[in-house]
Amino acid sequence: MQVQEGPGWRLSVDRSRSPYPVLIGGGDWAAELGAEEALGLCRGASRLAAELAAMADRLMPEECVTLELETGPLWLELEGQPRAWRLRFVLAPGPGARGVEGSWSEAASAAVVAALCQAHEDGVMAPV
């Protein structure tokens, strides 16, 4: 089992816990995700962060933006500035399946996304 945490976030990956090997949480919430759901969150959040970074030189220092991405059952929103942003997500997989909604503060968002993507790169979220 791999556990990482910081102020306002937590990530635990235990490949033996099928079908939800990923536990992800914020300051006052936590939810279990499937490996593919966690990977979708990682990819979507990374994409939004890259889009924000790409427009950094066109934004005024005090300017905030909101970016959204919807891919399948996952909706993401990134709000803030290139140096500090908040992330929110909603997973709505369909009738009869559980749904999840969560968010992280400016202090936690970049760290939890980095930890999630590092776990994926390390192969700890791969199916057993």
Side-chain angles (χ1 to χ4, degrees):
M1 178 181 349
Q2 178 187 37
V3 178
Q4 297 180 56
E5 61 187 322
W9 69 275
R10 179 179 174 98
L11 173 67
S12 173
V13 181
D14 182 351
R15 293 180 57 195
S16 69
R17 290 190 39 96
S18 183
Y20 303 113
V22 179
L23 177 71
I24 194 160
D28 58 359
W29 65 272
E32 293 177 316
L33 300 178
E36 287 298 318
E37 294 167 336
L39 180 57
L41 180 60
C42 169
R43 288 179 176 162
S46 295
R47 180 174 162 189
L48 290 177
E51 287 180 25
L52 181 59
M55 65 174 67
D57 62 342
R58 298 187 304 267
L59 298 174
M60 296 180 65
E62 67 280 355
E63 190 173 8
C64 290
V65 297
T66 300
L67 302 173
E68 294 183 19
L69 175 66
E70 188 169 352
T71 173
L74 182 64
W75 174 84
L76 293 154
E77 177 186 72
L78 183 148
E79 180 179 31
Q81 302 170 323
R83 61 176 160 62
W85 41 269
R86 297 176 46 91
L87 182 65
R88 186 169 82 125
F89 77 98
V90 176
L91 176 64
R98 87 228 181 298
V100 176
E101 180 174 352
S103 65
W104 294 277
S105 68
E106 288 180 355
S109 291
V112 72
V113 171
L116 191 59
C117 293
Q118 186 63 53
H120 169 63
E121 289 175 15
D122 292 346
V124 298
M125 290 192 312
V128 177

